[in-house]
Amino acid sequence: MLLVACADPDEGKAGGIYSFDGRLTRRIDSVDSSGVALAGDHLVRLRWSHAADDTGLFVYDAGGLKHYHRLDGLGDAHQVAWDGEHFVVVSTATNRLVWVSPAGECKEWKAPGEGDAWHLNGLFLFDNDIFVSAFGRFFTDRAWDKCRNSHCGIVFRLSTGADVLSRLNCPHHARYMDGAWVVCNSSDHDLLQIRDGMVQRRVCLGGWTRGIAVSDDFLFVGVSAPRHDRDAAVQTGSIAVLSRTSWEIQCVLPIAAREISDLALVPLSLAEGVRRAGALDSFGLETPRMRPIHPGDADQFHVEPVEVPDAVVAGREFECMVRVVNRSNYLLQSAPANPVHLSYHWLDQESVPVVFDGLRTRLQPVLYPEMANTYRLTVRSPEEDGVYRLRLTLVQEGVRWFDTPPTNAYFDAHVSVVRSIP
């Protein structure tokens, strides 16, 4: 089974893990991801994050999610690999490689320079060493961006620092196979085969090449939508399937996400484990932290009624049922530092709040991007009888209520509050 890790955080919201079984391509889930790899009889997956955010590792077995490792301060991590004892993570934004033990202990290697100086992005374990792809050796944060097409890209041996490939243009995912190096020369939209420093084969795939998986007969190559051409005819990613012997393109598999991050061929049982994995907090594991939702994304949430009573007894608790829709790229959860909860206001007939700070109800299970869940929330009625408007909504603690502009994530129900119900 081919698994495809995708990130689509800014526009399409079609990120997550996709699978290809030889016939059909399916989206398994919608959590933006930047890496996926086999780790013995487990599967490890790297969560996508912005440069200023934290990331984490999901570890699956055939039964589902087994562990989650939160990785603080490793923003914009690009790839994960398994060296037999540790998960090895490329932290692009911090110019580091980090080794994470299954117990969560970490050690690291840092390249010279400030911030994202080299744009370290890929790992390949070979010849008892680690080979790392990078955009070049620079000294200041993102200096490579000013030399984007100057072919400063390299692949180097970590133990010695010596280059094994050079003069590349934004390389990713180098592999040594069939007696030669194969590398995604991403900014040139190419897949290259290089032997003894000479390009032996070049296939232009029409988009940002990133991610390689190899079977006995085929090469699978991720092709993201063109990074710097919003007018291009194709604005979503794909997987190019090439003959391993001839390098002729056999077919192209469309993927809904713009960004293809990584590919891995895995046993069917592990792909099924990813599918089975439910909400993180249903496993009792530590979940990623909830960051403040950006105001520009605040209109991407909706609260819809499912069950709301017409009449309730004054001063009593009761339950309502709502459907919450998440069309953002955020994983909504009731976790620090700014948890999101379901809550409510009671308003009188002149829209004056009678009860503003309603009881809080946790989002369980968590709500993944581009998904919807139904939740029960607990409401306490006002002490005085009368006809009120009950406003059911969301609140992010310390940030905002979601019934105020620019958000409209609420609905109002007219509810009679009485002394008793026959």
Side-chain angles (χ1 to χ4, degrees):
M1 177 77 74
L2 178 70
L3 292 188
V4 184
C6 300
D8 202 1
D10 297 323
E11 293 186 27
K13 302 174 182 61
I17 295 288
Y18 291 74
S19 67
F20 176 65
D21 62 3
R23 296 186 307 109
L24 297 174
T25 302
R26 296 184 175 89
R27 189 185 190 191
I28 295 180
D29 68 27
S30 57
V31 179
D32 285 321
S33 302
S34 53
V36 62
L38 285 174
D41 56 358
H42 292 76
L43 179 79
V44 60
R45 171 190 190 174
L46 181 62
R47 184 168 59 87
W48 180 91
S49 69
H50 286 288
D53 291 338
D54 305 325
T55 187
L57 295 174
F58 302 85
V59 182
Y60 302 89
D61 61 14
L65 182 65
K66 190 172 183 180
H67 299 292
Y68 179 80
H69 297 282
R70 195 180 78 201
L71 302 177
D72 294 345
L74 299 185
D76 195 26
H78 266 51
Q79 194 184 350
V80 61
W82 172 250
D83 69 1
E85 296 181 353
H86 300 85
F87 306 108
V88 189
V89 177
V90 186
S91 177
T92 305
T94 64
N95 223 27
R96 290 185 288 171
L97 303 185
V98 180
W99 287 257
V100 184
S101 75
E105 300 168 338
C106 295
K107 60 180 182 179
E108 67 177 52
W109 172 87
K110 186 179 186 305
E114 301 173 359
D116 179 8
W118 289 23
H119 203 78
L120 306 173
N121 61 69
L123 300 166
F124 180 59
L125 278 62
F126 169 67
D127 196 25
N128 295 315
D129 212 334
I130 296 178
F131 293 82
V132 186
S133 53
F135 284 8
R137 290 182 172 87
F138 299 91
F139 296 101
T140 57
D141 184 50
R142 294 181 63 87
W144 47 266
D145 198 31
K146 299 177 182 178
C147 308
R148 184 173 290 275
N149 293 307
S150 60
H151 292 83
C152 296
I154 56 174
V155 176
F156 64 94
R157 182 188 286 266
L158 183 62
S159 63
T160 65
D163 294 349
V164 296
L165 299 176
S166 60
R167 299 187 301 276
L168 300 172
N169 200 2
C170 303
H172 290 82
H173 288 91
R175 299 286 184 268
Y176 191 83
M177 51 178 284
D178 302 331
W181 285 100
V182 174
V183 62
C184 292
N185 203 32
S186 304
S187 195
D188 287 346
H189 299 174
D190 291 338
L191 182 71
L192 303 179
Q193 183 187 62
I194 302 174
R195 182 180 287 111
D196 298 327
M198 301 295 292
V199 175
Q200 304 293 310
R201 285 173 166 168
R202 181 192 306 266
V203 176
C204 184
L205 296 174
W208 185 269
T209 47
R210 179 177 168 188
I212 296 175
V214 184
S215 71
D216 291 342
D217 299 317
F218 300 106
L219 294 173
F220 300 88
V221 184
V223 184
S224 299
R227 282 276 180 103
H228 308 291
D229 184 3
R230 293 293 178 170
D231 296 323
V234 178
Q235 289 294 324
T236 57
S238 61
I239 306 299
V241 184
L242 283 66
S243 164
R244 181 167 175 173
T245 54
S246 69
W247 276 42
E248 293 181 356
I249 298 174
Q250 306 299 298
C251 65
V252 175
L253 310 172
I255 301 292
R258 281 187 57 85
E259 296 279 341
I260 310 297
S261 303
D262 201 0
L263 310 177
L265 288 165
V266 307
L268 178 61
S269 59
L270 290 179
E272 180 64 14
V274 177
R275 188 195 66 78
R276 287 176 177 170
L280 293 179
D281 52 7
S282 70
F283 290 84
L285 301 176
E286 191 173 34
T287 60
R289 288 186 288 179
M290 188 70 228
R291 300 287 189 177
I293 293 170
H294 189 276
D297 296 320
D299 63 346
Q300 301 299 307
F301 310 96
H302 304 280
V303 178
E304 303 167 353
V306 178
E307 290 181 8
V308 180
D310 295 324
V312 297
V313 176
R316 300 281 182 86
E317 291 185 359
F318 62 96
E319 285 191 337
C320 297
M321 187 179 296
V322 298
R323 182 174 181 264
V324 181
V325 181
N326 178 9
R327 302 200 184 282
S328 76
N329 65 306
Y330 290 89
L331 177 68
L332 282 190
Q333 55 186 331
S334 302
N338 300 100
V340 176
H341 294 118
L342 287 159
S343 191
Y344 58 90
H345 313 304
W346 286 99
L347 310 174
D348 65 18
Q349 295 303 298
E350 284 72 44
S351 299
V352 175
V354 176
V355 175
F356 186 82
D357 257 334
L359 301 174
R360 303 313 202 247
T361 298
R362 289 173 54 82
L363 288 173
Q364 291 183 314
V366 299
L367 185 55
Y368 287 117
E370 203 62 24
M371 295 187 70
N373 277 332
T374 299
Y375 300 91
R376 291 186 180 275
L377 72 154
T378 301
V379 177
R380 184 175 179 84
S381 60
E383 297 294 333
E384 300 293 329
D385 57 1
V387 178
Y388 298 85
R389 272 194 297 145
L390 172 61
R391 175 166 294 181
L392 299 175
T393 185
L394 295 161
V395 57
Q396 184 167 33
E397 307 297 345
V399 181
R400 68 170 55 82
W401 285 84
F402 282 65
D403 64 326
T404 57
T407 52
N408 293 299
Y410 72 93
F411 74 90
D412 289 345
H414 291 278
V415 179
S416 296
V417 176
V418 297
R419 289 298 168 188
S420 65
I421 296 179

PDB file of all heavy atoms in Angstrom, residues 380-395:
ATOM      1  N   ARG A 380     -27.039  25.235  31.675  1.00  0.00           N
ATOM      2  CA  ARG A 380     -27.842  25.526  32.873  1.00  0.00           C
ATOM      3  C   ARG A 380     -28.778  26.680  32.549  1.00  0.00           C
ATOM      4  O   ARG A 380     -28.351  27.728  32.057  1.00  0.00           O
ATOM      5  CB  ARG A 380     -26.953  25.878  34.058  1.00  0.00           C
ATOM      6  CG  ARG A 380     -27.746  26.103  35.351  1.00  0.00           C
ATOM      7  CD  ARG A 380     -26.844  26.334  36.552  1.00  0.00           C
ATOM      8  NE  ARG A 380     -27.632  26.571  37.757  1.00  0.00           N
ATOM      9  CZ  ARG A 380     -28.140  25.616  38.527  1.00  0.00           C
ATOM     10  NH1 ARG A 380     -27.902  24.326  38.222  1.00  0.00           N
ATOM     11  NH2 ARG A 380     -28.846  25.909  39.609  1.00  0.00           N
ATOM     12  N   SER A 381     -30.054  26.505  32.856  1.00  0.00           N
ATOM     13  CA  SER A 381     -31.065  27.506  32.515  1.00  0.00           C
ATOM     14  C   SER A 381     -31.047  28.661  33.521  1.00  0.00           C
ATOM     15  O   SER A 381     -30.579  28.521  34.655  1.00  0.00           O
ATOM     16  CB  SER A 381     -32.446  26.859  32.495  1.00  0.00           C
ATOM     17  OG  SER A 381     -32.748  26.323  33.782  1.00  0.00           O
ATOM     18  N   PRO A 382     -31.575  29.849  33.136  1.00  0.00           N
ATOM     19  CA  PRO A 382     -31.676  30.971  34.069  1.00  0.00           C
ATOM     20  C   PRO A 382     -32.579  30.647  35.257  1.00  0.00           C
ATOM     21  O   PRO A 382     -33.430  29.748  35.193  1.00  0.00           O
ATOM     22  CB  PRO A 382     -32.273  32.087  33.207  1.00  0.00           C
ATOM     23  CG  PRO A 382     -31.971  31.697  31.797  1.00  0.00           C
ATOM     24  CD  PRO A 382     -32.011  30.203  31.786  1.00  0.00           C
ATOM     25  N   GLU A 383     -32.423  31.431  36.335  1.00  0.00           N
ATOM     26  CA  GLU A 383     -33.217  31.190  37.543  1.00  0.00           C
ATOM     27  C   GLU A 383     -34.642  31.710  37.409  1.00  0.00           C
ATOM     28  O   GLU A 383     -35.554  31.216  38.077  1.00  0.00           O
ATOM     29  CB  GLU A 383     -32.536  31.869  38.741  1.00  0.00           C
ATOM     30  CG  GLU A 383     -31.152  31.319  39.067  1.00  0.00           C
ATOM     31  CD  GLU A 383     -31.195  29.875  39.551  1.00  0.00           C
ATOM     32  OE1 GLU A 383     -32.237  29.459  40.108  1.00  0.00           O
ATOM     33  OE2 GLU A 383     -30.184  29.164  39.363  1.00  0.00           O
ATOM     34  N   GLU A 384     -34.832  32.717  36.538  1.00  0.00           N
ATOM     35  CA  GLU A 384     -36.160  33.315  36.380  1.00  0.00           C
ATOM     36  C   GLU A 384     -36.844  32.756  35.145  1.00  0.00           C
ATOM     37  O   GLU A 384     -36.208  32.562  34.105  1.00  0.00           O
ATOM     38  CB  GLU A 384     -36.038  34.836  36.261  1.00  0.00           C
ATOM     39  CG  GLU A 384     -35.401  35.511  37.468  1.00  0.00           C
ATOM     40  CD  GLU A 384     -36.272  35.408  38.700  1.00  0.00           C
ATOM     41  OE1 GLU A 384     -37.513  35.373  38.540  1.00  0.00           O
ATOM     42  OE2 GLU A 384     -35.723  35.360  39.814  1.00  0.00           O
ATOM     43  N   ASP A 385     -38.165  32.513  35.276  1.00  0.00           N
ATOM     44  CA  ASP A 385     -38.888  31.993  34.117  1.00  0.00           C
ATOM     45  C   ASP A 385     -39.099  33.098  33.087  1.00  0.00           C
ATOM     46  O   ASP A 385     -38.945  34.288  33.369  1.00  0.00           O
ATOM     47  CB  ASP A 385     -40.207  31.343  34.541  1.00  0.00           C
ATOM     48  CG  ASP A 385     -41.107  32.282  35.309  1.00  0.00           C
ATOM     49  OD1 ASP A 385     -40.706  33.468  35.502  1.00  0.00           O
ATOM     50  OD2 ASP A 385     -42.190  31.868  35.708  1.00  0.00           O
ATOM     51  N   GLY A 386     -39.438  32.679  31.877  1.00  0.00           N
ATOM     52  CA  GLY A 386     -39.622  33.612  30.784  1.00  0.00           C
ATOM     53  C   GLY A 386     -39.216  32.968  29.474  1.00  0.00           C
ATOM     54  O   GLY A 386     -38.831  31.793  29.424  1.00  0.00           O
ATOM     55  N   VAL A 387     -39.298  33.739  28.379  1.00  0.00           N
ATOM     56  CA  VAL A 387     -38.873  33.270  27.059  1.00  0.00           C
ATOM     57  C   VAL A 387     -37.531  33.924  26.743  1.00  0.00           C
ATOM     58  O   VAL A 387     -37.404  35.152  26.782  1.00  0.00           O
ATOM     59  CB  VAL A 387     -39.905  33.594  25.974  1.00  0.00           C
ATOM     60  CG1 VAL A 387     -39.406  33.124  24.615  1.00  0.00           C
ATOM     61  CG2 VAL A 387     -41.239  32.936  26.304  1.00  0.00           C
ATOM     62  N   TYR A 388     -36.546  33.114  26.446  1.00  0.00           N
ATOM     63  CA  TYR A 388     -35.180  33.587  26.221  1.00  0.00           C
ATOM     64  C   TYR A 388     -34.670  33.081  24.877  1.00  0.00           C
ATOM     65  O   TYR A 388     -35.220  32.149  24.282  1.00  0.00           O
ATOM     66  CB  TYR A 388     -34.235  33.072  27.311  1.00  0.00           C
ATOM     67  CG  TYR A 388     -34.542  33.529  28.700  1.00  0.00           C
ATOM     68  CD1 TYR A 388     -35.472  32.855  29.494  1.00  0.00           C
ATOM     69  CD2 TYR A 388     -33.887  34.632  29.227  1.00  0.00           C
ATOM     70  CE1 TYR A 388     -35.735  33.274  30.792  1.00  0.00           C
ATOM     71  CE2 TYR A 388     -34.143  35.058  30.525  1.00  0.00           C
ATOM     72  CZ  TYR A 388     -35.070  34.370  31.304  1.00  0.00           C
ATOM     73  OH  TYR A 388     -35.331  34.783  32.584  1.00  0.00           O
ATOM     74  N   ARG A 389     -33.587  33.737  24.441  1.00  0.00           N
ATOM     75  CA  ARG A 389     -32.815  33.197  23.323  1.00  0.00           C
ATOM     76  C   ARG A 389     -31.589  32.486  23.886  1.00  0.00           C
ATOM     77  O   ARG A 389     -30.789  33.097  24.610  1.00  0.00           O
ATOM     78  CB  ARG A 389     -32.374  34.300  22.361  1.00  0.00           C
ATOM     79  CG  ARG A 389     -33.376  34.604  21.274  1.00  0.00           C
ATOM     80  CD  ARG A 389     -32.771  35.442  20.167  1.00  0.00           C
ATOM     81  NE  ARG A 389     -32.348  36.749  20.653  1.00  0.00           N
ATOM     82  CZ  ARG A 389     -31.275  37.381  20.208  1.00  0.00           C
ATOM     83  NH1 ARG A 389     -30.481  36.809  19.307  1.00  0.00           N
ATOM     84  NH2 ARG A 389     -30.964  38.573  20.674  1.00  0.00           N
ATOM     85  N   LEU A 390     -31.453  31.237  23.569  1.00  0.00           N
ATOM     86  CA  LEU A 390     -30.279  30.459  23.954  1.00  0.00           C
ATOM     87  C   LEU A 390     -29.318  30.456  22.768  1.00  0.00           C
ATOM     88  O   LEU A 390     -29.656  29.957  21.692  1.00  0.00           O
ATOM     89  CB  LEU A 390     -30.671  29.031  24.313  1.00  0.00           C
ATOM     90  CG  LEU A 390     -29.514  28.050  24.553  1.00  0.00           C
ATOM     91  CD1 LEU A 390     -28.634  28.497  25.702  1.00  0.00           C
ATOM     92  CD2 LEU A 390     -30.051  26.635  24.789  1.00  0.00           C
ATOM     93  N   ARG A 391     -28.141  31.045  22.949  1.00  0.00           N
ATOM     94  CA  ARG A 391     -27.137  31.102  21.882  1.00  0.00           C
ATOM     95  C   ARG A 391     -26.061  30.055  22.167  1.00  0.00           C
ATOM     96  O   ARG A 391     -25.322  30.166  23.151  1.00  0.00           O
ATOM     97  CB  ARG A 391     -26.515  32.482  21.779  1.00  0.00           C
ATOM     98  CG  ARG A 391     -25.386  32.572  20.764  1.00  0.00           C
ATOM     99  CD  ARG A 391     -25.028  34.007  20.444  1.00  0.00           C
ATOM    100  NE  ARG A 391     -26.132  34.679  19.754  1.00  0.00           N
ATOM    101  CZ  ARG A 391     -26.088  35.943  19.341  1.00  0.00           C
ATOM    102  NH1 ARG A 391     -25.006  36.686  19.571  1.00  0.00           N
ATOM    103  NH2 ARG A 391     -27.113  36.482  18.717  1.00  0.00           N
ATOM    104  N   LEU A 392     -25.977  29.054  21.328  1.00  0.00           N
ATOM    105  CA  LEU A 392     -24.976  27.996  21.448  1.00  0.00           C
ATOM    106  C   LEU A 392     -23.813  28.320  20.527  1.00  0.00           C
ATOM    107  O   LEU A 392     -24.004  28.596  19.338  1.00  0.00           O
ATOM    108  CB  LEU A 392     -25.588  26.642  21.097  1.00  0.00           C
ATOM    109  CG  LEU A 392     -26.754  26.221  21.997  1.00  0.00           C
ATOM    110  CD1 LEU A 392     -27.373  24.926  21.503  1.00  0.00           C
ATOM    111  CD2 LEU A 392     -26.301  26.065  23.442  1.00  0.00           C
ATOM    112  N   THR A 393     -22.586  28.274  21.045  1.00  0.00           N
ATOM    113  CA  THR A 393     -21.428  28.727  20.281  1.00  0.00           C
ATOM    114  C   THR A 393     -20.166  28.049  20.802  1.00  0.00           C
ATOM    115  O   THR A 393     -20.222  27.120  21.618  1.00  0.00           O
ATOM    116  CB  THR A 393     -21.308  30.268  20.351  1.00  0.00           C
ATOM    117  OG1 THR A 393     -20.245  30.705  19.508  1.00  0.00           O
ATOM    118  CG2 THR A 393     -21.070  30.750  21.773  1.00  0.00           C
ATOM    119  N   LEU A 394     -19.020  28.524  20.315  1.00  0.00           N
ATOM    120  CA  LEU A 394     -17.707  28.068  20.758  1.00  0.00           C
ATOM    121  C   LEU A 394     -16.984  29.227  21.417  1.00  0.00           C
ATOM    122  O   LEU A 394     -17.251  30.395  21.118  1.00  0.00           O
ATOM    123  CB  LEU A 394     -16.868  27.576  19.572  1.00  0.00           C
ATOM    124  CG  LEU A 394     -17.348  26.343  18.814  1.00  0.00           C
ATOM    125  CD1 LEU A 394     -16.687  26.290  17.441  1.00  0.00           C
ATOM    126  CD2 LEU A 394     -17.047  25.079  19.597  1.00  0.00           C
ATOM    127  N   VAL A 395     -16.046  28.902  22.284  1.00  0.00           N
ATOM    128  CA  VAL A 395     -15.191  29.916  22.882  1.00  0.00           C
ATOM    129  C   VAL A 395     -13.771  29.376  22.944  1.00  0.00           C
ATOM    130  O   VAL A 395     -13.565  28.210  23.308  1.00  0.00           O
ATOM    131  CB  VAL A 395     -15.687  30.321  24.299  1.00  0.00           C
ATOM    132  CG1 VAL A 395     -15.776  29.121  25.232  1.00  0.00           C
ATOM    133  CG2 VAL A 395     -14.791  31.393  24.890  1.00  0.00           C
TER     134      VAL A 395
END
